[in-house]
Amino acid sequence: MATFFKRKATVVALAALSLTVAGGGVAIAAQPEAKVPQPAVHKAGQQPPVTAAEQRAARAALRATLAPPAPGTVAWAVVAQNGTLLQHSGNVVSSSKFAPGPGVFPGQYLLLLDYNVSAKSYHVSIGTNDSANVPPAGEVAAAPRTLTPTGVFVQTRSSSGGYADRPFHILITN
């Protein structure tokens, strides 16, 4: 009887060892291949690359300062669908729509002011200044412009979330 249990224990031990080795081989074979990020790939939701011309324009805007608005006041702008600055407060220097290219999606805009707005609060909404005053449906978001302390990056989208050009109103609190 003791021999029977010794043989059974040996068989069970060999079976467990076999399953462990086989399972480990499957686990090694199933490991995902390491993905190497591609430097030229632009992810959706990121800002377009900063150009040398944009940096020069931001420096020029900063040199043309009128003086930042007093604390508690706001700078504001109304921007058309094509990026044209329609109405604005004195500290807003320019607005533009990013030109199509690598890493650029529809509905991406840059607003330049004559003072550092990187740590300010932005409120942005879809809106127009036309006589009907009924803006198109959509979504909009604003963030500090990458490497441009005087700039605000704005991204507009359609109601379904796709990139789309939309007019907008923006307030920058001080």
Side-chain angles (χ1 to χ4, degrees):
M1 187 75 159
T3 308
F4 174 75
F5 285 118
K6 284 182 184 177
R7 286 185 194 155
K8 193 172 184 179
T10 304
V11 170
V12 170
L14 287 174
L17 182 61
S18 299
L19 289 174
T20 302
V21 170
V26 170
I28 289 172
Q31 287 181 347
E33 202 173 293
K35 293 183 182 178
V36 178
Q38 303 203 2
V41 174
H42 179 79
K43 295 178 183 175
Q46 290 183 345
Q47 296 183 21
V50 177
T51 64
E54 184 182 330
Q55 288 178 334
R56 283 191 301 276
R59 281 193 295 274
L62 193 56
R63 284 192 298 267
T65 188
L66 297 173
T73 60
V74 296
W76 58 271
V78 178
V79 179
Q81 185 169 318
N82 64 3
T84 303
L85 193 58
L86 299 174
Q87 299 171 326
H88 60 92
S89 63
N91 293 98
V92 177
V93 175
S94 67
S95 69
S96 59
K97 184 174 174 291
F98 284 94
V104 178
F105 298 96
Q108 293 183 327
Y109 302 89
L110 173 65
L111 189 72
L112 286 178
L113 289 90
D114 62 3
Y115 64 102
N116 186 333
V117 293
S118 61
K120 303 298 182 186
S121 175
Y122 316 115
H123 174 76
V124 62
S125 61
I126 300 291
T128 66
N129 73 339
D130 65 5
S131 59
N133 204 23
V134 178
E139 303 169 6
V140 63
R145 176 64 172 132
T146 303
L147 302 173
T148 310
T150 62
V152 179
F153 173 76
V154 177
Q155 172 71 65
T156 60
R157 297 175 182 263
S158 66
S159 292
S160 62
Y163 296 107
D165 296 334
R166 296 285 188 262
F168 61 92
H169 297 180
I170 185 168
L171 296 171
I172 298 104
T173 61
N174 295 294

